Amino acid sequence: MANNNTVKWSRKHLLGLEDLSAQEITTILDTADGFKEVSTRTVKKVPALQGKVVVNMFIEPSTRTKTSFSLAAKRLSADIVDFSASTSALTKGESLKDTARNIEAMGVDIVVIRHTTPGAPHLLSRTINASIINAGDGAHEHPTQGLLDIFTIREMKGRIKGLKVALLGDITHSRVARSNIWGLTNLGAEVYVVGPSTLIPTQLKQLGVKISYNLDEIIPQMDVINILRIQMERQKAGLFPSIREYARLFGINAERLKKAKKDILIMHPGPVNRGIEITPEVADGARSVILKQVTNGLAVRMAVLYLVAGVSADK
Amino acid sequence: MSSILIKGGRVIDPANKIDKTANVFTLNGKIKSVGAQSPKADKVIDAKGLIVAPGLIDMHVHLREPGKEEEETIASGSAAAVNGGFTSVACMPNTEPAVDSEASAEFVYLQAKRTGKANIYPIGAITKGRKGVELSEMGQLVRGGAVTIISHCEDKDLVPDGVMNDGFISAVLGLRGMPNVAEEVMVYRDIALCELTGGKLHIAHITTRGAVELVRQAKKKGINVTAEVTPHHLLLTDESVKTSSFDPNYKMNPPLRTKQDIEALAKGLKDGTIDAIASDHAPHSPEEKDVEFNIAPFGIIGMETLLPLVLTELVNKKVITLAQAIAKLTVNPARILGLDKGTLTVGADADITLIDLSKEWVINPDEFKSKSRNCPFRDWKVKGKAVKVIVGGQVVN
């Protein structure tokens, strides 16, 4: 699926999909296409980043993203070090900037950071010389998740332009939603955000996104539904009445799926709350590409590491 | 004792409706004459080409002493004040411990005296330790030097964990918002209480178009309410948080609002709904401020940028006249605070600020007298500066 729009990569950091042009996104996706094949080999390794050091700086817990970045770095033959700390430990003692400076002093080329505060990766990019990859900053962006979602859609549908993609659930608190919105709208998809009115910031309309509070009304037109995880504490905070009601109004089940196009894609960035936002039969069913997303995540993260490493090596 | 003759400047004294070239003569710390006469003086200042204004008053600053002397002290704050053209400042009581007693107000007063630069007026906390439980001994506080009580309008329930204005930008950045209504419901509540009790209300740092309209209507009804605005709320919008990539120097409370709010604030300033311009000078150390956006404290410094920003962005761009700007920095805040200051009336304290309207310079916080550097106006090109400051008949800057 190589695309003629591929351009020479020139960004040292990947802070968000908002900053990227359609050509840059396509460049990452095409590069990921190439790396996908590596995972099918018996020796799942290329020497592209030999001698490079990548640090996983996860200030907020994560299993899937951290593992995915670790494996991606290893397949590129980079050295990868995990650094985990709770935000509270940092605020009590050493600052994020000092921690990063210390890590950098050990000779690090790329820092992958996950943090609870929007803009923490941007702060690091101003502080240290290493390349910064945003692995999720609060409710702001999660660019590699957005990219792997888009990669999976492109792989399955052969295009992005003109597709109707629904992001379903808690949009307000979702960095995955924001990265998807930037990337998908940029590539010409029609993006819908669907969920309880208390969990959708209406200002997102200004980004050309369509807002719906009624899943059943829009589901027949959708080509893709990307289901966001619903966090139980939102119910306790009074943002929706009950888990049961949420599941009834916004949960994806086999019954509801009957109204959808036959070739609809069901996606979920995980971790999945089975029985709440999605029933097990759908999660494991024929339309689900949830595990494909995870596999593709590896290729996309290899592509991102490879591209930013190339730029920092030039400089 | 001593005398000063300030010769040939353009004297602007809004309280006395004066705007003319004249000589100002001070004797023994008081204004002795304003006019054509040219008495013999110990010191003569040539003010040709300069504005001679009553000493400027910043009615809303935080000086951090006692408690956070690494960020500002009364001495450094006082030096910053006169460097910015201010002869008097009113400092807020949120220190550690709070200014909530005669003794603590007396402490601020004495520290200011020792410094011998600007006049410093401590604002008293309404309740002991700012806990909202027991009233401070206000009668005693006033005797110790504290002068008035002022309202920061914010409904805390409507801004849980908010760090910036609630709107399109906060939605895009995934940051918690503080909606306009959180300010407006409290402005409305306080105006209603003010009407009920017949008291005197001053709204600190007003920022929303709705709040401006509430104050305008209250004034029409004859309710005794006044309001102040800061330069940053007049000049910056919440978009700065995005364009600066989450620079905490754009994090303040109340937050930077939108273009529509700025337009309403400018209109309110012009038609007199907003009485005063104040800095809300809020020093923070770099280790505290230059961190992740969510955990950075609110506020920026402002005493050394207020006047040039007002002159460059409001007066030169014809939002308000020079006389209006000076009134909002002199006699109006003096009246709100109940101070016998802010004029060049014969017999008044000889607090005078000389301003060069033509001086062009670039803001560089590294050159400030303040101990802190949290300023979003770095590298702004401005025109106009206080070039001489006289407090009580003494040249202090």
Side-chain angles (χ1 to χ4, degrees), chain B residues 15-54:
Chain B
N16 293 308
K17 299 199 166 48
I18 291 173
D19 184 346
K20 64 175 183 194
T21 302
N23 301 331
V24 177
F25 181 62
T26 77
L27 181 66
N28 297 338
K30 302 285 180 189
I31 305 287
K32 187 73 182 166
S33 70
V34 178
Q37 61 272 55
S38 182
K40 209 167 139 46
D42 304 336
K43 188 178 171 69
V44 177
I45 297 170
D46 180 8
K48 214 163 284 159
L50 301 179
I51 301 296
V52 180

Side-chain angles (χ1 to χ4, degrees), chain A residues 8-315:
Chain A
K8 186 174 160 34
W9 186 261
S10 63
R11 288 181 187 271
K12 185 178 168 185
H13 310 295
L14 179 67
L15 301 177
L17 291 195
E18 181 186 355
D19 315 323
L20 301 190
S21 68
Q23 284 85 352
E24 286 174 309
I25 294 173
T26 306
T27 301
I28 300 174
L29 301 184
D30 291 349
T31 310
D33 263 333
F35 280 125
K36 212 182 157 179
E37 174 266 336
V38 174
S39 298
T40 63
R41 297 182 193 168
T42 34
V43 178
K44 299 180 177 57
K45 223 172 167 106
V46 290
L49 295 195
Q50 205 157 37
K52 297 272 179 195
V53 180
V54 181
V55 168
N56 259 339
M57 196 168 167
F58 278 61
I59 314 298
E60 185 190 80
S62 149
T63 316
R64 166 183 347 237
T65 305
K66 193 162 115 182
T67 309
S68 181
F69 268 110
S70 289
L71 274 175
K74 282 176 181 159
R75 289 196 179 165
L76 294 167
S77 306
D79 295 319
I80 176 112
V81 185
D82 281 349
F83 174 91
S84 303
S86 68
T87 313
S88 61
L90 272 168
T91 50
K92 276 178 197 158
E94 201 175 42
S95 72
L96 178 68
K97 284 173 75 170
D98 276 336
T99 307
R101 284 194 188 111
N102 275 280
I103 289 174
E104 187 181 43
M106 299 175 202
V108 167
D109 301 290
I110 299 172
V111 175
V112 177
I113 179 171
R114 152 93 39 117
H115 199 286
T116 49
T117 294
H122 306 67
L123 175 67
L124 284 198
S125 73
R126 289 196 289 268
T127 307
I128 59 176
N129 281 319
S131 284
I132 308 295
I133 297 174
N134 181 0
D137 59 332
H140 178 223
E141 281 228 42
H142 190 353
T144 57
Q145 180 70 45
L147 287 166
L148 75 88
D149 290 345
I150 294 166
F151 182 92
T152 307
I153 297 171
R154 191 177 81 158
E155 185 180 53
M156 300 301 294
K157 296 282 187 188
R159 66 187 168 111
I160 299 296
K161 201 175 170 68
L163 292 179
K164 290 187 166 139
V165 182
L167 304 168
L168 170 62
D170 179 359
I171 309 297
T172 298
H173 302 94
S174 175
R175 51 187 168 224
V176 177
R178 285 175 181 77
S179 287
N180 265 277
I181 289 170
W182 289 117
L184 286 167
T185 53
N186 201 348
L187 294 177
E190 231 181 284
V191 179
Y192 290 70
V193 292
V194 195
S197 60
T198 46
L199 293 173
I200 297 183
T202 53
Q203 298 95 339
L204 292 179
K205 256 187 268 181
Q206 295 181 45
L207 299 178
V209 167
K210 295 188 177 67
I211 294 176
S212 168
Y213 307 123
N214 188 336
L215 177 59
D216 291 313
E217 214 171 80
I218 63 135
I219 200 168
Q221 311 147 44
M222 291 302 119
D223 298 297
V224 180
I225 294 186
N226 199 346
I227 305 164
L228 305 170
R229 175 183 166 76
I230 192 80
Q231 289 181 8
M232 307 301 172
E233 58 262 32
R234 307 292 177 216
Q235 187 266 328
K236 291 197 187 75
L239 289 168
F240 59 94
S242 71
I243 297 289
R244 198 173 67 137
E245 191 202 73
Y246 183 88
R248 192 178 299 159
L249 293 175
F250 299 105
I252 297 287
N253 53 41
E255 193 53 35
R256 195 159 256 147
L257 218 47
K258 282 184 192 156
K259 293 182 226 160
K261 291 184 181 172
K262 292 284 160 269
D263 61 349
I264 192 170
L265 291 187
I266 300 298
M267 306 177 72
H268 194 305
V272 174
N273 289 313
R274 283 172 181 257
I276 298 169
E277 68 254 5
I278 185 168
T279 57
E281 50 183 345
V282 177
D284 305 329
R287 301 316 313 153
S288 164
V289 289
I290 295 172
L291 292 177
K292 261 198 179 65
Q293 285 172 271
V294 178
T295 308
N296 289 339
L298 203 51
V300 163
R301 291 183 176 114
M302 285 170 79
V304 168
L305 286 167
Y306 172 77
L307 290 169
V308 300
V311 174
S312 40
D314 289 348
K315 284 184 179 168

